[in-house]
Amino acid sequence: MNNARNPLIAGNWQMYKGGLQGVELAGALVGIAREVPNVDLVIAPPFTVLAACAHEVEGSSIAIAAQNFYPKNEGAFTGEVSAPMLKDSGCTWVIVGHSERRQYFGETDATVAERVQAAIAAGLEPIVCVGETLAERESGQTLAVVNRQVSAFINLLTHHAVIAYEPVWAIGTGKTAGPNEAEEVHAAIRAQLDKHRSGLGTTTRILYGGSVKADNAAALLACPNVDGALVGGASLDANTFGAIARAAQTLA
Ligand code: 13P
């Protein structure tokens, strides 16, 4: 981490905790938020409990993110949810381009860019995800793939943007990029941002995601270009998410 940027720990609940359990988890995190005053905490519950979780954490420093949205304000788009609807539900953030969206729901660099633009236009802060597959890593294409993914939305970024580097092979697999592997990609993204627009790299927070747990968080967060974590499985439990947040507070 680097003192120039506030650490950010975000919990992506994926398709878990969509009922009362989710609201209880949000409530359990309020106490943890008080212990980590120098860490920005974001949770991304499923759509069904966004408003209830927002209500539960009201008055705390925890912010609410959605995991996806449809980039039109309203209309005949059965089953979809818009950015203004997310705002009405209490969201201030939204995850965009998660690898599961790219892999299972046909999202491309182009649709990711569309969502980044629509999120910013609606006043939501996007957490934009990038990352290579195992095959891409093994064939030496990691930096080229991530560079291409970032290029798709780099023009749209504001100076308080958040990018999450999540190697696809590390998500939910228990395999984490080692601190050196993560740092190499984070540094490359930051250099790309700075090359694009002077200062953009200094202000953009780059989170690492992919099997971040209580026992590996500190080593990853200690990397100078890792500004926080996007946590999946370990964010579903207040104790483990709390331990990751505390690791960030210790380094902040
Ligand atoms: P895991 O932490 O379960 O690997 O999930 C990472 C992730 O996809 C967060 O968005």
Side-chain angles (χ1 to χ4, degrees), residues 12 14 95 98-100 129 166 170-174 209-213 230-234:
N12 172 15
Q14 299 166 304
I95 298 171
H98 191 279
S99 68
E100 288 148 18
C129 302
E166 297 204 313
I171 296 177
T173 58
S211 296
V212 176
K213 306 288 176 204
L230 180 56
V231 185

Side-chain angles (χ1 to χ4, degrees), residues 45-246:
F47 288 131
T48 48
V49 284
L50 285 174
C53 289
H55 182 69
E56 192 71 17
V57 303
E58 218 173 295
S60 81
S61 61
I62 300 172
I64 304 288
Q67 300 173 16
N68 178 42
F69 72 106
Y70 189 66
K72 299 274 185 216
N73 283 350
E74 60 181 6
F77 301 106
T78 301
E80 294 298 326
V81 174
S82 72
M85 290 173 184
L86 297 180
K87 285 202 80 181
D88 282 347
S89 303
C91 293
T92 48
W93 293 84
V94 63
I95 298 171
V96 175
H98 191 279
S99 68
E100 288 148 18
R101 303 291 321 164
R102 295 178 190 253
Q103 193 177 347
Y104 306 129
F105 303 102
E107 289 213 30
T108 62
D109 287 351
T111 65
V112 169
E114 235 184 302
R115 280 172 170 75
V116 172
Q117 186 163 32
I120 293 171
L124 288 171
E125 302 282 357
I127 298 174
V128 199
C129 302
V130 297
E132 81 288 2
T133 63
L134 186 59
E136 289 164 341
R137 173 160 284 265
E138 284 177 345
S139 58
Q141 296 175 71
T142 298
L143 295 182
V145 167
V146 170
N147 178 281
R148 187 205 76 221
Q149 291 172 332
V150 172
S151 295
F153 57 82
I154 198 166
N155 269 330
L156 305 166
L157 294 180
T158 63
H159 272 270
H160 39 89
V162 176
I163 293 174
Y165 167 56
E166 297 204 313
V168 178
W169 49 271
I171 296 177
T173 58
K175 283 188 206 158
T176 327
N180 292 341
E181 288 170 306
E183 174 62 19
E184 182 194 14
V185 180
H186 283 232
I189 295 172
R190 203 173 301 288
Q192 184 183 357
L193 295 170
D194 267 332
K195 195 170 160 207
H196 181 78
R197 204 187 315 145
S198 171
L200 187 60
T202 311
T203 56
T204 300
R205 287 183 286 184
I206 307 175
L207 314 182
Y208 171 77
S211 296
V212 176
K213 306 288 176 204
D215 59 3
N216 62 18
L220 288 159
L221 293 170
C223 299
N225 283 296
V226 175
D227 304 311
L230 180 56
V231 185
S235 73
L236 299 175
D237 180 279
N239 291 324
T240 52
F241 191 64
I244 295 167
R246 282 186 207 102

